Amino acid sequence: MFPILQLGPLALPAAPLSMVLSVWLGLSLTEKFARKRGLNADALYNLTFIALFSGILGARLFFAAQNFSAFVQTPLSLFSREAGSLDPFGGFASALVAALVYGRRAGLKFWSTLDGLTPLFAVAAVGLAVSRLASGAAFGMETSLPWGVELWGAVRHPTQVYEIGLALAILLGLGWWSSTDFLTDARIKADSGTDSNAEKPADGQLFLLFVALTAGAQLFVEGFRGDSMLLPGGIRAGQVVAWVVMAVVLLKAGWSTDFSRMRG
Amino acid sequence: MDFRQYFRQNWGSLLVLSLALVWIWFSRAPEGATTGGQIPAPRAGFLAPAFSLSTLDGREIALDDLRGQVVLINIWATWCPPCRAEMPAMQKVYEDYHEQGFEILAVNSTVQDTFSQLDPFVEEYGLTFPIPLDRSGDVTRLYQVISLPTSFFVGKDGVIREVVVGGPMDEALLRTRIEKLLQEGR
């Protein structure tokens, strides 16, 4: 694990660094992908930055509201760089609301926008896994398998490595799927009218596939983790959440019919 | 759509979801598999590794003796600007919460510091909490400290609840963490 990258006199925290790099790389990919699909890449950029900024602001304000007495005594702490003084749920809610408001004002379509942002999400998933590897977070259970790693006082499943592998596979798989397949070709043909038989695939397919695959990957890796939140009977809460997400996407998206239609 | 038609159209999804349920059942956590609480490691969720050091004022202090109290282990050095910057906030919260069962072990990483600068430093900031001296660097290594300051919030049960690498920690962060830990088990 490498929580700090020492570059000469500069000590850089590896986990946040990998997240920043993944967002930067993800945005570059998103821009290319959006142009290919005829989406407004600039609007997606703006949407991302507005959501990020609102998320950070909201996370701090929600945290301060929950710990009002502490912040009343030191109001300047509102501007602290301390990542521990952020409320993740408040941040997520603020980012979501800001993104929805901006998207509506900019006239962005909900599902096609999520499709356009999928490269960003997929790269960020890789970045998150790398950041966990760097910090030693989301560690595995003890194991006697030969590929176990010494971490936190025991030989453990390298769950962060499993996660990186699966996130990369999802990223590459989605990249291959969206570059070679029906999604782009059928869409262009349908939009331009050059192929009257081409069926325009429904918006949101790429995003939903990403969500289903990522939920599946989390469900699988969670089974090896040594820090899971447990429900009665030793059931891992993370797996239950991932299963519900996967079920909603798989059963409600009506995928099997769409797949068969697109293959034809 | 009847059930048979629905099943025919969605059998792939249903198969995946069924296999996932089997995996959830199969990968249930055996007792003790996910608790790091009994293993000493410098990580949230694990038992804070035990140590015993002599303090700047010549007393011997052991972490294990503080079980039952909320402890902030802060590893620092005088030459480190963020370490200096967070000292006033630490002193303030120490004064406010010490009587309620809160202790600070401000472990000076003496192995990488200048001993003669410690007394003037303590005087300058008016520090009253214990300052154990890590002359050999054993505790710095035991806690895998690679960036100063590094702080460990330890609950009454001796388990590390949070690790803050770098700083300075601000007063609000300190207060929220300490109040939360003091309320545990009440």
Side-chain angles (χ1 to χ4, degrees):
Chain A
M1 307 298 145
F2 305 99
I4 302 288
L5 281 181
Q6 193 74 43
L7 300 175
L10 208 60
L12 299 170
L17 188 68
S18 78
M19 283 312 299
V20 170
L21 283 177
S22 67
V23 168
W24 171 71
L25 186 64
L27 276 174
S28 306
L29 274 179
T30 289
E31 186 179 5
K32 284 182 189 168
F33 180 71
R35 292 198 199 289
K36 197 174 165 190
R37 296 197 74 185
L39 296 168
N40 184 345
D42 292 336
L44 291 185
Y45 253 102
N46 292 340
L47 178 77
T48 306
F49 282 113
I50 286 171
L52 282 175
F53 178 74
S54 307
I56 294 169
L57 187 68
R60 176 54 53 83
L61 291 176
F62 271 78
F63 185 86
Q66 287 166 36
N67 300 281
F68 192 67
S69 60
F71 280 82
V72 160
Q73 291 178 57
T74 57
L76 284 178
S77 295
L78 274 175
F79 306 101
S80 145
R81 289 176 303 159
E82 198 56 67
S85 306
L86 298 171
D87 177 63
F89 294 105
F92 177 74
S94 308
L96 190 65
V97 169
L100 287 172
V101 169
Y102 175 79
R104 181 168 281 244
R105 286 194 176 176
L108 296 174
K109 288 181 185 164
F110 185 76
W111 286 110
S112 58
T113 300
L114 286 175
D115 278 344
L117 289 170
T118 298
L120 170 64
F121 299 145
V123 179
V126 178
L128 178 66
V130 172
S131 78
R132 286 173 163 176
L133 178 68
S135 65
F139 53 84
M141 283 193 303
E142 290 184 47
T143 180
S144 55
L145 290 168
W147 59 85
V149 291
E150 172 76 34
L151 180 66
W152 310 128
V155 176
R156 298 177 180 281
H157 276 284
T159 40
Q160 303 94 339
V161 178
Y162 303 162
E163 205 178 339
I164 291 173
L166 287 169
L168 274 174
I170 291 170
L171 174 66
L172 294 175
L174 290 177
W176 172 80
W177 190 63
S178 61
S179 64
T180 58
D181 77 59
F182 29 82
L183 265 188
T184 305
D185 295 343
R187 180 178 297 277
I188 290 169
K189 283 175 186 168
D191 282 345
S192 63
T194 54
D195 184 350
S196 56
N197 294 322
E199 277 196 72
K200 189 173 173 177
D203 284 333
Q205 298 259 347
L206 187 67
F207 173 73
L208 289 174
L209 183 59
F210 164 75
V211 173
L213 289 173
T214 302
Q218 287 300 318
L219 191 147
F220 175 71
V221 175
E222 184 79 26
F224 299 103
R225 275 176 62 170
D227 62 344
S228 300
M229 187 195 288
L230 298 182
L231 300 173
I235 300 283
R236 298 164 193 267
Q239 286 183 317
V240 175
V241 172
W243 190 88
V244 170
V245 170
M246 212 163 68
V248 168
V249 172
L250 287 178
L251 296 178
K252 294 289 180 190
W255 242 340
S256 48
T257 29
D258 280 341
F259 275 135
S260 59
R261 199 171 60 213
M262 282 188 281
R263 277 195 208 100
Chain B
M1 186 192 299
D2 65 10
F3 179 74
R4 203 179 298 172
Q5 192 185 352
Y6 183 83
F7 182 81
R8 207 176 295 145
Q9 283 189 351
N10 293 286
W11 69 267
S13 300
L14 292 169
L15 178 67
V16 168
L17 290 171
S18 304
L19 288 173
L21 282 177
V22 171
W23 174 241
I24 290 174
W25 183 255
F26 181 75
S27 63
R28 280 170 304 147
E31 199 171 329
T34 61
T35 52
Q38 299 311 311
I39 304 170
R43 166 92 203 160
F46 289 80
L47 199 63
F51 63 86
S52 172
L53 292 170
S54 25
T55 62
L56 189 60
D57 54 9
R59 287 182 298 137
E60 196 69 26
I61 197 159
L63 179 63
D64 281 350
D65 294 343
L66 301 174
R67 191 65 65 86
Q69 296 186 53
V70 171
V71 181
L72 169 62
I73 302 169
N74 174 262
I75 301 179
W76 66 285
T78 55
W79 49 261
C80 141
C83 303
R84 304 175 74 96
E86 66 189 13
M87 285 297 171
M90 282 169 52
Q91 177 60 33
K92 232 179 206 173
V93 295
Y94 182 72
E95 287 166 11
D96 288 352
Y97 298 105
H98 182 58
E99 292 299 315
Q100 297 174 44
F102 169 64
E103 187 59 271
I104 292 180
L105 294 183
V107 178
N108 175 257
S109 191
T110 321
V111 67
Q112 51 184 324
D113 207 346
T114 311
F115 180 73
S116 61
Q117 289 184 357
L118 289 180
D119 275 328
F121 182 90
V122 169
E123 203 170 319
E124 180 187 346
Y125 288 96
L127 306 179
T128 55
F129 44 75
I131 300 187
L133 304 176
D134 186 21
R135 292 175 189 269
S136 62
D138 285 349
V139 174
T140 308
R141 276 191 294 277
L142 183 67
Y143 276 76
Q144 298 177 18
V145 174
I146 46 173
S147 175
L148 292 176
T150 298
S151 302
F152 302 84
F153 289 89
V154 182
K156 293 174 185 171
D157 53 2
V159 173
I160 297 174
R161 295 295 197 283
E162 187 175 351
V163 182
V164 179
V165 179
M169 291 182 292
D170 61 72
E171 201 180 314
L173 175 95
L174 286 165
R175 285 186 189 281
T176 52
R177 298 302 190 273
I178 295 162
E179 284 178 10
K180 191 176 161 198
L181 290 178
L182 283 171
Q183 279 165 11
E184 277 183 6
R186 273 194 180 170

